[in-house]
Amino acid sequence: MIQSQPDSTGHFGPYGGRFVPEVLMAPLEELEHAYLAASKDPQFRAELDDLLKNYAGRPTPLYFAKRMSQELGGAKIYIKREDLLHTGAHKINNCLGQALLARRMGKKRIIAETGAGQHGVATATVCALFGLDCTVYMGEEDMRRQRLNVFRMRLLGARVTGVSNGSRTLKDAISEAMRDWVTNVHSTHYLLGSALGAHPYPMMVRDFHRVIGEEARAQILQQEGRLPDSIFACVGGGSNAIGIFHAFLGDENVKLIGIEAGGHSDRLGEHAARFSGGSPGVLHGAHSYVLQDDDGQVALTHSVSAGLDYAMIGPEHAWLNDRHRAEYTSAIDAEALSAAMKLARTEGIIPALESAHAVAEVIKRAPSAPGAVFIVNLSGRGDKDADIYRENFPELDEPNPSHI
């Protein structure tokens, strides 16, 4: 049986742990104790469940993609519709949980990082809901790519602080958020958005997203009378993937497949595929697979999707990979864009570009798997990526396109 909880030091096998400045050890221990107490508190759980149902919109449907399944001619494809949640992605699950936890700890100020902007929007949303002060750090390149989400965060009352260091993407936003936290630990909770960072974040974020897999498991048993053969999810830090994988870890006949960002090519700096181009190292408080050069310097990354554009993968994914319980592959930018078009035109669903990477892998594998049942986690919807889609499909932006 694969270990499903970190050990007492926050490690999944050799991965995870706490590699942070001394000043952050006490707030991390405070957070761990608060989370463990809250997770055993029926009142906390009841309030979170109520918000997930009546505010966020859970449970999300498990939708049978009939036309896509027919066109691909192999597996039956089901889509877990996290894109239908309030704010447009799975991120709201974790943000509601952490906002309740921050209130429980008496923290009045929230900081967060964001890449694609969806975590930032979800953070700004819960801060508005609970009356908390909110600052979101975002790389300037991601602010350019995700202008709509920057506006949404500001409309919700958040301060969006641009980061001009490094690649000006998610890695740099996390670094700035951690610098802020070091300075303001007594008043501030860092609402980290993925299953990475120092313990207890990988465990806690995963737990707030486990509802995805728990729902999907019950739904597929109801609809198919059996478990799926394969589950697909995109992997940046890895929160949506570990959220849907976790309920199936003990089912060894269910393949768990994570899809990283293949970017432009397999050259270092042109992708964000940690397992095919990275090696174990430490970044942002945890030990996991990191894209780094021969001198151990963290490499630049690239993905057409801002949310997958990160140099490290969450430690539980590293452990699942080493134990061969999950398989990790990648899709290049062109494949993700093509998959988004395919899903839009067969099912009327425009996915987030992150999620489109998972759809791309389903498209590759479904034709050769007749009779199989696939579930793909659609972690977010594509509204936020409209500008990127327009850049990559300029023919659709013509006044009278004749070749649609």
Side-chain angles (χ1 to χ4, degrees):
M1 177 67 179
I2 292 292
Q3 171 185 335
S4 62
Q5 294 294 343
D7 64 20
S8 60
T9 62
H11 285 84
F12 296 91
Y15 305 108
R18 284 182 184 145
F19 297 84
V20 295
E22 187 66 29
V23 69
L24 289 181
M25 291 300 289
L28 284 167
E29 289 172 359
E30 176 194 20
L31 178 60
E32 180 184 7
H33 294 152
Y35 172 68
L36 293 175
S39 64
K40 298 172 184 175
D41 184 347
Q43 186 175 348
F44 178 89
R45 187 70 243 181
E47 185 172 9
L48 178 56
D49 287 346
D50 179 72
L51 286 166
L52 289 172
K53 177 181 178 181
N54 295 308
Y55 186 72
R58 303 211 72 92
T60 58
L62 184 68
Y63 165 72
F64 173 49
K66 184 177 180 180
R67 285 198 64 223
M68 177 175 274
S69 299
Q70 290 175 339
E71 287 201 9
L72 293 175
K76 295 181 70 173
I77 301 165
Y78 285 85
I79 302 174
K80 183 59 173 162
R81 297 293 309 275
E82 295 297 288
D83 60 308
L84 295 180
L85 286 171
H86 180 43
T87 72
H90 71 292
K91 296 292 187 180
I92 193 71
N93 303 321
N94 171 53
C95 287
L96 284 169
Q98 287 200 51
L100 287 175
L101 198 58
R103 189 181 69 182
R104 185 184 181 99
M105 293 188 294
K107 307 288 186 179
K108 305 288 187 182
R109 178 173 180 261
I110 300 293
I111 58 172
E113 86 299 327
T114 196
Q118 284 303 121
H119 174 60
V121 169
T123 299
T125 296
V126 299
C127 286
L129 180 65
F130 291 115
L132 301 170
D133 184 80
C134 182
T135 297
V136 178
Y137 290 94
M138 190 172 191
E140 289 181 349
E141 171 61 15
D142 289 339
M143 290 181 73
R144 181 194 68 80
R145 293 194 286 185
Q146 300 291 340
R147 290 179 297 171
L148 175 60
N149 275 346
V150 173
F151 183 82
R152 292 170 73 195
M153 286 182 265
R154 289 172 173 162
L155 185 62
L156 289 158
R159 283 179 295 278
V160 183
T161 300
V163 179
S164 59
N165 302 328
S167 60
R168 300 177 297 133
T169 56
L170 181 58
K171 172 180 70 71
D172 312 292
I174 294 175
S175 295
E176 285 300 314
M178 291 185 73
R179 290 188 187 100
D180 184 320
W181 197 27
V182 166
T183 307
N184 300 288
V185 290
H186 298 296
S187 63
T188 299
H189 172 64
Y190 179 16
L191 206 165
L192 184 61
S194 196
L196 44 80
H199 179 68
Y201 281 106
M203 172 185 70
M204 181 175 67
V205 174
R206 178 206 66 197
D207 287 351
F208 285 138
H209 285 304
R210 285 191 311 182
V211 64
I212 305 171
E214 290 166 357
E215 287 178 5
R217 184 186 179 88
Q219 289 166 327
I220 199 66
L221 286 172
Q222 181 179 26
Q223 294 185 53
E224 284 290 329
R226 69 179 184 91
L227 294 176
D229 296 284
S230 301
I231 297 174
F232 300 80
C234 65
V235 185
S239 62
N240 91 90
I242 204 65
I244 196 168
F245 288 174
H246 200 262
F248 299 91
L249 285 180
D251 304 299
E252 296 188 0
N253 291 328
V254 178
K255 294 180 181 178
L256 307 176
I257 303 160
I259 299 87
E260 300 182 280
H264 291 315
S265 75
D266 59 5
R267 291 177 55 191
L268 191 65
E270 294 193 353
H271 64 88
R274 286 66 51 101
F275 288 124
S276 60
S279 57
V282 173
L283 179 63
H284 293 144
H287 180 244
S288 186
Y289 279 77
V290 181
L291 288 168
Q292 53 192 328
D293 63 21
D294 292 339
D295 296 321
Q297 296 298 307
V298 177
L300 295 176
T301 56
H302 164 78
S303 173
V304 71
S305 58
L308 302 186
D309 199 352
Y310 183 58
M312 189 180 84
I313 196 165
E316 190 167 3
H317 286 292
W319 180 233
L320 293 178
N321 176 74
D322 282 10
R323 294 296 299 271
H324 305 291
R325 179 60 192 94
E327 173 190 352
Y328 296 86
T329 184
S330 63
I332 63 173
D333 289 351
E335 291 170 330
L337 288 162
S338 176
M341 179 77 80
K342 181 75 169 178
L343 184 61
R345 295 193 170 183
T346 56
E347 300 296 340
I349 299 170
I350 302 173
L353 272 165
E354 292 78 14
S355 310
H357 286 70
V359 177
E361 190 64 21
V362 167
I363 290 171
K364 292 177 191 176
R365 299 194 187 204
S368 60
V373 173
F374 287 178
I375 295 177
V376 58
N377 196 30
L378 203 72
S379 57
R381 62 176 175 255
D383 308 33
K384 69 181 180 62
D385 293 319
D387 286 343
I388 302 175
Y389 283 132
R390 291 177 72 181
E391 289 174 10
N392 285 276
F393 300 124
E395 67 277 9
L396 303 183
D397 217 16
E398 296 174 6
N400 296 293
S402 57
H403 42 275
I404 293 180

